[in-house]
Amino acid sequence: MWCPEDTYGRQQPVHPLQKLTLDYHSRGAMTSYPHILFNKDPEQLRRQGARGGRIFGRNHRARRALMSPPPPAPPRAEPRETTVAAIATLDSQFPWLRSAEKRLRKLSQ
């Protein structure tokens, strides 16, 4: 188990967050409730999980109700070019490549 002092009596450097955690535990603010999860049958654990899910959902819906709705998306300035129109433009510019995207069947030898 981790201890802020090693076996030689020297004080090891402790991170500030570890100090806060140690102070929090030493005050007895963190209470242990092992009976909540242990010594329960699967049905009791399932019911407990369902209660937690319902509580989470209720809180989530309450938070979403307090949020302002997102602003509407701005309309597009101009419609995009479709794939068919792009292929037609390329076919008119390069007639020797017309239908190059279509595969040819190989003749069996």
Side-chain angles (χ1 to χ4, degrees), residues 4 7-8 10 21-22 25 43 47 50 58 60 67 75 94:
T7 56
Y8 301 110
R10 292 182 311 214
T21 307
L22 289 173
H25 288 295
E43 181 60 24
R47 280 189 305 230
R58 184 185 66 218
H60 186 67
M67 291 173 48
F94 308 104

Side-chain angles (χ1 to χ4, degrees), residues 2-109:
W2 181 82
C3 182
E5 293 183 19
D6 63 6
T7 56
Y8 301 110
R10 292 182 311 214
Q11 186 76 17
Q12 289 188 353
V14 179
H15 192 272
L17 291 177
Q18 287 177 331
K19 287 180 184 177
L20 289 174
T21 307
L22 289 173
D23 291 342
Y24 185 74
H25 288 295
S26 64
R27 288 192 311 242
M30 193 163 178
T31 310
S32 176
Y33 297 107
H35 62 276
I36 291 178
L37 291 177
F38 296 109
N39 301 326
K40 296 211 182 249
D41 59 47
E43 181 60 24
Q44 289 172 323
L45 290 172
R46 188 199 65 75
R47 280 189 305 230
Q48 186 174 355
R51 276 195 302 270
R54 283 193 295 270
I55 292 169
F56 174 82
R58 184 185 66 218
N59 293 338
H60 186 67
R61 286 188 296 275
R63 281 192 302 272
R64 299 267 322 238
L66 294 175
M67 291 173 48
S68 61
R76 287 190 173 173
E78 58 189 45
R80 296 174 127 183
E81 182 181 30
T82 63
T83 306
V84 173
I87 290 174
T89 303
L90 289 173
D91 284 345
S92 65
Q93 287 178 353
F94 308 104
W96 60 90
L97 294 176
R98 187 168 291 144
S99 301
E101 73 275 4
K102 297 179 183 171
R103 294 185 179 202
L104 299 175
R105 281 181 53 187
K106 289 187 177 181
L107 298 175
S108 58
Q109 296 176 357

